[in-house]
Amino acid sequence: MIIDDLSFHDTYILEVKEISSEQTMEFLIDFPTDWENNFYEKKILKFTGVITYQIEDLPFHGPPTILDIVNLGKFTKSFGTGRNQIDTEVTKIEMQLNAGNRMIEFANCELLTQETKVRNDLIAVKAKIYLRKPEEGGRFTGIRSGYRPNHVFEPFTDINQIRAYNGIIQFDDTELFHVGETKIVIVKFLHIPEIEKYMHVGRKWLIYEVPILVAEGEIIEI
């Protein structure tokens, strides 16, 4: 199955199309083939024979990003009873996003290629980031270059109303950024109109693995 053969980490979900008459879901995605050089392939992740599609996402600005797709295996699902019972075999996956999780039960899936492109819709800033320690409520382990948490620029009182943005943290990929350390890094955000007002020197923000506050950042150079 294509879900097991490929890594979908750092894939953007641009659009989800439901074709109810065919029990089909089509995910229009930007699939990264070379992140450092911003090469993406626009593809369609197509699920057929869809029985269940469940969304548990927090409010989010910009397209959500796939962190991982976990294959939960095949099982038989029954509809009706007695002589009217129909059994069908489905595969269940959990799509883990930076905005939450999505569950899909389906019969088959395939990946269709549309086009290859270079993304030019990223904005890069130099920032100073402090990675919180476990006793401060942060991570237990350090991070490596390519880490993609949730970036929050405005205060909130309800975690379910959080407004987060896409952004990848990059630094010397031979080093581990340890908890309790402060490091100068490059952060690349998806360049959407809503984020422009935050992109200035001195701007501070919070970095989450929702709902955990893992780091604090400050822009030091545009």
Side-chain angles (χ1 to χ4, degrees):
M1 181 183 293
I2 195 69
I3 296 298
D4 299 320
D5 296 337
L6 296 174
S7 171
F8 288 85
H9 183 70
D10 284 351
T11 296
Y12 290 107
I13 298 177
L14 305 177
E15 182 182 357
V16 180
K17 180 181 180 181
E18 178 183 357
I19 307 173
S20 300
S21 61
E22 301 177 8
Q23 286 186 281
T24 297
M25 303 288 298
E26 293 184 352
F27 285 72
L28 177 61
I29 59 176
D30 256 355
F31 184 84
T33 56
D34 184 348
W35 175 265
E36 292 295 331
N37 294 305
N38 294 329
F39 282 104
Y40 282 73
E41 288 186 3
K42 185 170 287 185
K43 296 176 179 285
I44 294 176
L45 183 57
K46 183 177 181 179
F47 297 92
T48 56
V50 176
I51 301 298
T52 302
Y53 177 50
Q54 181 180 349
I55 302 175
E56 295 181 353
D57 288 1
L58 293 169
F60 200 82
H61 282 288
T65 303
I66 297 174
L67 304 179
D68 195 13
I69 297 180
V70 180
N71 188 344
L72 301 177
K74 292 186 176 183
F75 66 97
T76 300
K77 197 156 189 175
S78 300
F79 299 89
T81 58
R83 290 186 300 173
N84 295 320
Q85 180 172 313
I86 298 175
D87 297 329
T88 183
E89 186 178 71
V90 297
T91 298
K92 184 175 184 178
I93 63 168
E94 179 182 57
M95 190 177 287
Q96 299 174 351
L97 313 177
N98 60 348
N101 295 303
R102 301 188 184 187
M103 305 290 290
I104 309 173
E105 296 175 355
F106 60 94
N108 296 290
C109 69
E110 57 183 328
L111 191 63
L112 310 175
T113 299
Q114 286 198 323
E115 62 180 299
T116 301
K117 68 175 184 177
V118 178
R119 295 200 70 125
N120 57 7
D121 55 351
L122 299 176
I123 181 170
V125 302
K126 182 179 287 188
K128 178 174 65 176
I129 288 181
Y130 170 69
L131 194 59
R132 292 162 64 97
K133 297 179 288 187
E135 53 266 35
E136 298 171 311
R139 292 173 55 92
F140 285 88
T141 59
I143 63 172
R144 295 191 182 277
S145 183
Y147 177 57
R148 294 187 60 107
N150 300 298
H151 301 265
V152 178
F153 289 90
E154 297 289 351
F156 62 91
T157 56
D158 183 351
I159 194 67
N160 294 314
Q161 299 300 318
I162 191 172
R163 292 293 185 270
Y165 297 84
N166 285 304
I168 183 170
I169 297 174
Q170 296 179 323
F171 48 92
D172 184 345
D173 60 9
T174 63
E175 298 179 12
L176 183 67
F177 188 169
H178 296 280
V179 296
E181 289 184 341
T182 298
K183 185 183 284 289
I184 304 300
V185 302
I186 298 297
V187 185
K188 294 180 180 179
F189 296 101
L190 190 63
H191 194 176
I192 57 176
E194 292 89 341
I195 204 171
E196 292 179 354
K197 61 185 177 181
Y198 306 122
M199 298 293 99
H200 59 82
V201 173
R203 178 71 200 200
K204 297 181 179 181
W205 80 99
L206 300 177
I207 299 169
Y208 281 82
E209 292 177 11
V210 177
I212 302 170
L213 175 60
V214 296
E216 303 158 21
E218 179 182 355
I219 297 175
I220 59 175
E221 184 180 322
I222 299 296

